[in-house]
Structures are given as structure tokens and as C-alpha cells.
Amino acid sequence: MFVESVVRWGAWSILLAGLGVSGGGCPSRCTCRPEAKEVICSGKHLNSVPEGFSSDAKRLDLSYNKLKTVGRRQFSGLQLLQELDLSDNLISMMEVEAFQGLSNLRTLRIKNNRLKIIPVGVFSGLSSLRFLDLSQNEILVFLDYTFKDMSNLQILEATENDLVFISQRAFFGLTNVVELNLDRSNLTSIPTEALSQLPSLTRLCMLRLTIPSIPNNAFRRLHRLRSLVISSWPFLDSLASNSLIGLNLTSLVISNCNLSEIPYPALRHLVYLRFLDLSYNPITVIQRNLLGDLLRLQELHLAGGSLVRIDPGAFKGLTNFRMLNVSSNQLSTLEETAFQAVGNLQVLRLDGNPLACDCRLLWVVRRRLRLNFDGFQPTCASPDAVRQRQFRDFSEKELPRLFTCRPARIQDRRPQEARVEEGTTVLFSCKADGDPAPAITWISSQRNVISPTGRIRVLPNGTLEVRYAQVHDSGAYQCLAGNTAGNDSLTVGLFVKGVPRNRSIPIFIDESWIEPTHMTQTANSSSQMAKPYPFDAKTLIIATTMGFLSFLSSVAICFVFMFFWSQSKGQIKHTATIDFVPRSSMGGGGDGGDGGRFTMKLI
Ligand SMILES: *[C@@H]1O[C@H](CO)[C@@H](O)[C@H](O)[C@H]1NC(C)=O
Ligand SMILES: *[C@@H]1O[C@H](CO)[C@@H](O)[C@H](O)[C@H]1NC(C)=O
Ligand SMILES: *[C@@H]1O[C@H](CO)[C@@H](O)[C@H](O)[C@H]1NC(C)=O
Ligand SMILES: *[C@@H]1O[C@H](CO)[C@@H](O)[C@H](O)[C@H]1NC(C)=O
Ligand SMILES: *[C@@H]1O[C@H](CO)[C@@H](O)[C@H](O)[C@H]1NC(C)=O
Ligand SMILES: *[C@@H]1O[C@H](CO)[C@@H](O)[C@H](O)[C@H]1NC(C)=O
Ligand SMILES: *[C@@H]1O[C@H](CO)[C@@H](O)[C@H](O)[C@H]1NC(C)=O
Ligand SMILES: *[C@@H]1O[C@H](CO)[C@@H](O)[C@H](O)[C@H]1NC(C)=O
């Protein structure tokens, strides 16, 4: 818009100049528009700020020139100036009080110059300034009190600088800044202390930083902050659980980072959050029931992630939820049960996922004309019959035939019963088919779910393995196979007979085997088996002997030492005195020779 108006005014001014209307007080090479009180000197190859402005100018455009410095009180005659544009010059130096006298200036643009440092006092006198653009310079630090007189500043643009440090009181005095943009700088940590000087900040945007984590209390005292944008921090892989504490956000973006899971604990207190964008993070799962605290959440974007699963109940409690954007992930399905009320959902981006078009997605395809896919139709990746077909292409008639599931069914239903002796390893198979592929769970006779690790475990192919069977393992085990369409189960029996222990039966404790050699006990006592006596007599004798030997050798060595010590007695000094000259202190210690001294006692 700005460029457009410059162009337009350029054209106008040429016309007016041609007519000889150009008013008095206009520097040569500049075009002036007296009615609008504008002076435009953009792109005139100026090496210095020209002289002779009319003192009632409100807008001065010096962009696209070759200005190198801005001198002290350079614009002091222009008390009515409201807008000054110094962008796209070669300015590397601004003197203290450069803008003194511009008490009505509202907008100052110094974008795309070569500033490396801003001396304190450069901006003094700019008490009306609302907008300051310092982006695309080479500024390294913001010093304390740099902006101290700018109590009306509202927007500070500081993107694309080489900032390595923002001093703690750099933003002192910026009581009305509502928006701060820190894009692509070399900060290595969040300038917490400096930011806490911005009590009115409502929008903070920090892009392209190399900060690896957000610590607790990173955004202290930003009570008015409503929108936080953190994007393109390639090393950011964690948010401490209290990192966002104190904030009351309505919009949060943490995108293009390296988060591998949703930072639930850090988000929990954001009960006013309406917009959450976690796109382009390697997040794999949206877990059940963990977003429920975000009562007012309306939109969740997690596009371009690594999502493989959205659990049932993932959006439970989110009654206002109306947009889910999970395009370009690895999801095979999205079940209706993920949502609190699927009727409220308006926009769904599900494209770019390897969708398995079965009964679980029937709810989406049924709503395909009502739901807004934002122009990106979901596409089936399987089964083969519908591969590559877009949701909108399905006719109502073919849906019941295509979007179907087959309930889980256990294939081999022959009764399995194992009668074995203690110490044997037993396998019970449980194979099920169905569409989608059923999940297999084994339940013990005590109704515990058996895990994939331990002595009794479920193998990846669904087989139950009981290693080194114990008498107390006896009982019924139940295999449950289930998918969305239905469940099936199968019960098997295990009977373990105790044998007199005249041979060693290893027992399994904490994923490792212990060989008890002297277990005379019969099958009973699991308590004893948990704490086996770990040595036999032979071992004990050897251990004791070795212990005794090493004891003897230690004593011998001691004697040798004592001998040598007693020989050298009298020659060894028992104290050492160390002299040192302390580094000259601030005052400059003149009297030489009087250094420091301390004494160590040797024992
Ligand atoms: C800031 O980072 C950029 C890109 O990594 C690098 O080229 C530049 O030298 C850095 N500047 C400073 C002052 O460290
Ligand atoms: C992102 O995280 C993964 C592991 O979580 C790590 O291997 C990778 O190096 C990280 N990437 C960056 C840019 O730090
Ligand atoms: C949090 O923000 C919301 C929305 O801006 C506002 O209504 C609410 O009063 C704020 N709560 C606090 C404690 O500041
Ligand atoms: C979904 O996310 C993608 C990637 O961030 C974005 O381009 C798109 O605009 C989002 N869709 C909606 C409806 O916001
Ligand atoms: C399951 O895997 C185990 C070990 O990998 C194997 O011994 C067993 O035969 C397999 N069972 C079936 C039913 O494939
Ligand atoms: C299958 O079992 C699960 C858990 O026991 C139950 O929640 C679900 O309703 C069952 N599904 C069917 C179709 O019976
Ligand atoms: C002990 O083990 C041997 C063979 O390992 C067997 O012949 C014997 O019957 C077992 N029982 C007793 C009580 O010795
Ligand atoms: C097994 O040992 C426990 C105590 O360790 C005892 O209470 C129980 O009676 C014993 N059972 C048999 C069958 O010996």
C-alpha cells in the first residue's frame, strides 16, 4: 500500500511540478506536495539529508538513497513531522539526539540499513512515536534505556538483525508497546528480563531463533500477552512445564520446531486459548483427554507433523472445537470418538494422510458435503478398491458397501491347554483377523493385562509366552482381540506341576536370570524364590579366601609405606607457605612487595 501511494504521489508530483505548482521550501531533487504536506526524496541518490524543507511538512520520505549517517538534531526544524522514512539507505551511524525536536513524529522507519549499534539517547525526544521499524539492520545488542523516552511506542519491529543480546533494561520505558517482532536474530536464550519491562505487550512474535528450550517462567509479567508466535526454532525440542506460566493467551503458535510431543503440561492453564498451531513438529500422537483443560479451544493446527494416531477422546471436553487441521501427517484414520461433539466441527483438513477407508471414516465421508475441507479433499490410500479416490467422489449408494469394517475374529479356536512341569516354557497362540487389524490383549487369571516384557509376556505376533513356568502361574488366560467393529476372545488353560528341586531352576527377576543352586524347597514359596540365596559353599570359600588375601596385601603395602615414611621423617616439611601477588584492584595497589600469603599444613 505504501509503495503504491509513493508511486501514485510520484506521478502526481511530476504532474504538479510540470505545472509549476511545487510550493516554496522544497529541496531540489525532492518532490513536494504542499496540500498533503509531503516531501518525497525517495530514490534520488542523496548522500546526505538535503536542506530547505518547509517547516510544516508532515511526511518526509528519504528512502532508497545513500545516506550514511544521521547527525545530531538533523531534523530539528520539522516540528510538525509525523512520518519519517529512512529505509533502504546505508545508515551505519546515528548520533545521539538525532531525532530531537520531532515531538510529533508518529512513524519512524529505519529498515534495511547498516546499523550495528544504537547509542543510548539516539531516540530521545520522540515522545509521540507510535511505530518504529528497525528491521533488517545488523544490530548486535539493545543497550539499557535505548528506548526510554518512547512511552507512546506501540509497535517495535526488530526483525532480521544480528541481535545476540538484549540488555535487561533495554525496553525500559516502553510502557505502551503492544507488539514486538523479533525475527531471525542470534539470541541464544529468551530475553525474559527485558521482555518483562513491556507491561502492555499483547502480541510477541519470535521467529527463526536457535534457542533449544523454553525454561520455566520464560515470559514473566506479560499479563496482557494474548498472542505468542514461536516459529522456526529448529532446535526447540522441549517446553518446561511452567514455561508459559503467567500468560493468558488466546492464540499460541509453536510451529516448525522439533517438538516430538504436544507440551500438555505447559498448555494446561491456558483456559482462554482459542487458536493453537503446532504444525511442522515431529509430533506422533494426540493423546486422549489431555487437551480437556483448554475449554475454549476452537482451532488446532498440526499440519505437516508425524502424527500416526489421534486417540479416542483426544478432544474430549472441547465443546467449541470447530477446526482441525492435520493435513500431511501419517494418519490412517480419525475416529469420531476423538471429538466431544462432531456436529460442531466445521473445517477438517485430513488430506495428505494415508487414510484407510473403512467404517471408522464413515462419519467423515457421510459429512463430505457439509464439512469444509478447505478445498483439499481427503483421499483413500487403502483398501485397493478405493485407492486414490477422493471423498467427494463417493456416491451415497456405494458407501455402505465400501466404508465397512470386519469385526475381529480369532482364527484358530481349538482349545489350548498346557500341562507342564515347573521350569518349562509354554506358548499360547492367538491370531485374529479383521478390518481394521485387531489389537490383541492377554489377561491373566488375576485379571491383569499382560505386558510385552517380563517372564510372562505377549510376543509381537500376539502369542502369549510363559517362560520357566511356576506353579503359581497356573490358571486361565484370556486372549482378547478387538477392533472398532467388534471383539472376540479365547481362553486357554495352564497347569504347572511342581517338581522336587534337585536340579537348578533359574528364576527370573527384573529381566535377568538367577541360578539358585541350593533350592531344596518345593513349588511353594514365591517369596523365597524372589530372594534366592545367591552363593553356594564353594563360592563362599573362594570369596572369603580372596578377600583375606587382598586384606593381607593391603596391610603389607601399609607397612611398606610406614617404613619409608619413618625413614624420611625429619626431612619432610609439614607446612608449606605460598606467596602470591593479588591482581591490582580498582584503586591500583601501589605498594609493591606486599602480596598475599597463606600457609598450608600437611598432614
Ligand atoms: C548470526 O547468525 C548468522 C547465521 O547463523 C551468522 O551468519 C552471523 O554471523 C551471526 N552473527 C553474529 C553476530 O553472531
Ligand atoms: C530434533 O530431535 C531429534 C530427536 O528428537 C534429533 O535427532 C535431531 O537432531 C533434532 N534436530 C535438531 C535440528 O536439533
Ligand atoms: C484472560 O483473557 C481473557 C480473554 O482475553 C479475558 O477475558 C480474561 O479476563 C483474562 N483473564 C485474566 C485472569 O486476565
Ligand atoms: C492448515 O495448515 C496448513 C499448513 O500450516 C495451512 O497452509 C493451511 O492454511 C491450514 N488450513 C486452514 C484452514 O487454516
Ligand atoms: C510367534 O512368534 C514366536 C517367536 O517369535 C514364534 O515362536 C511363534 O511360533 C509365533 N507364533 C505364531 C502363531 O506365529
Ligand atoms: C470391545 O471391547 C471393548 C473393551 O472391552 C469395548 O469398549 C467395546 O465396546 C467392545 N466393542 C464391541 C463392538 O463389542
Ligand atoms: C533328581 O534328578 C534326577 C535326574 O536329574 C532324577 O533321576 C531324580 O529322580 C530326581 N529326584 C530326586 C528326588 O532325586
Ligand atoms: C507356602 O508358603 C507360605 C509362606 O511362605 C505358606 O503360608 C503356605 O502355607 C505355603 N503353602 C504350601 C502349599 O506349602
Side-chain angles (χ1 to χ4, degrees):
M1 206 174 85
F2 173 66
V3 174
E4 184 189 284
S5 68
V6 168
V7 170
R8 189 145 36 92
W9 282 122
W12 261 110
S13 338
I14 289 163
L15 190 66
L16 293 172
L19 295 170
V21 182
S22 172
C26 189
S28 58
R29 296 164 86 174
C30 296
T31 26
C32 298
R33 250 197 97 227
E35 332 76 85
K37 303 198 165 48
E38 276 186 352
V39 184
I40 297 165
C41 317
S42 179
K44 302 288 186 204
H45 308 286
L46 297 172
N47 292 315
S48 60
V49 179
E51 305 272 311
F53 296 115
S54 145
S55 61
D56 64 354
K58 285 194 171 156
R59 181 165 175 265
L60 172 56
D61 183 355
L62 287 164
S63 62
Y64 295 99
N65 283 298
K66 294 182 175 160
L67 305 182
K68 290 202 173 70
T69 55
V70 182
R72 186 161 175 268
R73 298 183 184 243
Q74 179 92 62
F75 305 98
S76 58
L78 300 172
Q79 259 133 19
L80 301 178
L81 202 63
Q82 292 183 359
E83 189 177 334
L84 175 58
D85 193 345
L86 295 167
S87 303
D88 306 288
N89 278 282
L90 306 171
I91 300 170
S92 58
M93 165 73 187
M94 293 193 298
E95 285 176 16
V96 172
E97 298 189 352
F99 306 101
Q100 191 75 39
L102 298 180
S103 56
N104 286 302
L105 198 69
R106 286 161 169 263
T107 301
L108 176 57
R109 299 176 205 273
I110 320 179
K111 187 178 162 178
N112 195 16
N113 277 286
R114 302 206 175 149
L115 292 172
K116 278 195 162 42
I117 196 112
I118 300 179
V120 178
V122 163
F123 296 127
S124 70
L126 291 174
S127 56
S128 302
L129 203 70
R130 302 276 200 280
F131 177 87
L132 175 59
D133 189 350
L134 292 171
S135 44
Q136 297 177 32
N137 278 282
E138 297 155 19
I139 303 169
L140 293 166
V141 292
F142 282 142
L143 302 170
D144 280 349
Y145 307 113
T146 299
F147 306 103
K148 73 173 176 343
D149 293 333
M150 305 169 113
S151 61
N152 280 307
L153 195 69
Q154 290 175 355
I155 301 179
L156 176 55
E157 296 280 355
T159 65
E160 302 191 42
N161 276 288
D162 292 339
L163 282 174
V164 288
F165 183 62
I166 299 181
S167 186
Q168 295 196 351
R169 317 214 84 203
F171 296 143
F172 177 85
L174 293 178
T175 48
N176 281 304
V177 164
V178 291
E179 183 171 339
L180 173 62
N181 290 310
L182 288 172
D183 180 357
R184 203 168 79 193
S185 67
N186 294 21
L187 294 173
T188 51
S189 66
I190 296 175
T192 300
E193 201 55 47
L195 291 175
S196 73
Q197 313 260 318
L198 299 170
S200 302
L201 198 66
T202 53
R203 183 176 158 81
L204 174 59
C205 196
M206 295 193 288
L207 312 184
R208 296 185 275 182
L209 301 184
T210 50
I211 298 173
S213 68
I214 303 185
N216 284 332
N217 297 308
F219 301 99
R220 261 180 296 132
R221 284 191 265 158
L222 296 178
H223 304 301
R224 302 240 190 111
L225 197 69
R226 292 292 174 268
S227 168
L228 176 60
V229 180
I230 289 171
S231 187
S232 304
W233 297 21
F235 301 101
L236 182 69
D237 53 18
S238 64
L239 263 73
S241 49
N242 287 331
S243 52
L244 305 179
I245 216 77
L247 295 182
N248 175 13
L249 300 176
T250 55
S251 166
L252 174 62
V253 178
I254 308 177
S255 64
N256 287 283
C257 297
N258 202 14
L259 298 179
S260 53
E261 56 181 45
I262 298 183
Y264 298 104
L267 304 180
R268 186 154 294 154
H269 68 285
L270 298 174
V271 294
Y272 285 92
L273 199 68
R274 291 198 296 263
F275 179 94
L276 178 60
D277 185 351
L278 298 170
S279 294
Y280 302 103
N281 278 291
I283 295 173
T284 52
V285 184
I286 303 181
Q287 286 166 276
R288 68 175 66 208
N289 293 352
L290 290 178
L291 291 170
D293 292 321
L294 308 181
L295 299 172
R296 295 171 180 81
L297 195 69
Q298 295 179 357
E299 291 186 25
L300 173 63
H301 298 260
L302 213 167
S306 308
L307 283 178
V308 292
R309 207 174 79 228
I310 296 180
D311 284 344
F315 309 118
K316 190 159 174 238
L318 307 184
T319 47
N320 298 308
F321 199 61
R322 36 174 289 276
M323 183 193 296
L324 177 66
N325 184 352
V326 287
S327 75
S328 304
N329 278 286
Q330 297 301 317
L331 293 169
S332 60
T333 197
L334 174 62
E335 295 192 49
E336 192 173 358
T337 51
F339 298 89
Q340 172 78 24
V342 91
N344 293 345
L345 196 67
Q346 292 166 13
V347 184
L348 177 63
R349 281 285 303 265
L350 200 52
D351 53 289
N353 284 289
L355 298 177
C357 289
D358 56 35
C359 64
R360 293 169 296 172
L361 283 171
L362 192 58
W363 72 273
V364 179
V365 78
R366 282 236 169 90
R367 289 177 160 75
R368 67 194 179 286
L369 302 177
R370 245 176 307 148
L371 267 178
N372 178 355
F373 295 122
D374 191 32
F376 296 87
Q377 286 286 321
T379 308
C380 298
S382 67
D384 288 340
V386 294
R387 191 190 300 276
Q388 300 298 339
R389 284 188 66 181
Q390 297 193 334
F391 276 27
R392 70 162 163 234
D393 297 343
F394 290 103
S395 71
E396 202 63 42
K397 216 166 62 214
E398 58 184 342
L399 290 187
R401 184 170 52 84
L402 292 178
F403 281 74
T404 55
C405 288
R406 262 181 310 117
R409 196 179 51 86
I410 294 173
Q411 288 162 345
D412 187 357
R413 303 205 52 95
R414 273 175 298 178
Q416 298 182 53
E417 209 174 84
R419 294 178 180 276
V420 297
E421 271 194 7
E422 206 175 358
T424 322
T425 292
V426 191
L427 293 173
F428 294 106
S429 76
C430 182
K431 269 204 142 131
D433 63 7
D435 183 14
I440 304 266
T441 317
W442 280 92
I443 314 256
S444 71
S445 46
Q446 286 88 40
R447 310 297 306 161
N448 295 325
V449 173
I450 293 165
S451 78
T453 56
R455 186 173 60 84
I456 304 179
R457 61 179 180 173
V458 180
L459 300 175
N461 61 10
T463 296
L464 175 70
E465 182 189 58
V466 181
R467 284 183 284 175
Y468 301 91
Q470 313 282 300
V471 170
H472 65 262
D473 295 339
S474 300
Y477 290 81
Q478 194 183 26
C479 170
L480 294 177
N483 65 15
T484 18
N487 300 334
D488 196 3
S489 74
L490 173 72
T491 304
V492 301
L494 173 64
F495 303 94
V496 183
K497 188 156 83 61
V499 290
R501 290 267 166 83
N502 67 351
R503 58 195 158 109
S504 78
I505 296 174
I507 60 167
F508 191 82
I509 294 170
D510 293 340
E511 286 287 305
S512 62
W513 296 96
I514 294 174
E515 302 260 354
T517 42
H518 283 265
M519 289 265 259
T520 47
Q521 198 71 19
T522 46
N524 187 17
S525 64
S526 56
S527 57
Q528 275 196 352
M529 298 193 39
K531 291 184 235 127
Y533 190 56
F535 308 113
D536 60 7
K538 208 164 103 193
T539 322
L540 261 181
I541 291 168
I542 293 173
T544 321
T545 317
M546 288 182 68
F548 190 60
L549 277 177
S550 70
F551 172 70
L552 269 187
S553 55
S554 315
V555 171
I557 289 169
C558 265
F559 269 101
V560 172
F561 265 102
M562 282 168 74
F563 174 75
F564 279 113
W565 182 65
S566 64
Q567 288 299 297
S568 59
K569 215 174 174 198
Q571 281 141 25
I572 292 178
K573 281 168 81 181
H574 287 264
T575 59
T577 304
I578 296 172
D579 291 335
F580 70 98
V581 181
R583 281 204 245 163
S584 66
S585 52
M586 292 307 219
D591 36 0
D594 189 29
R597 168 174 298 181
F598 63 86
T599 303
M600 291 194 319
K601 193 170 168 79
L602 299 182
I603 29 170

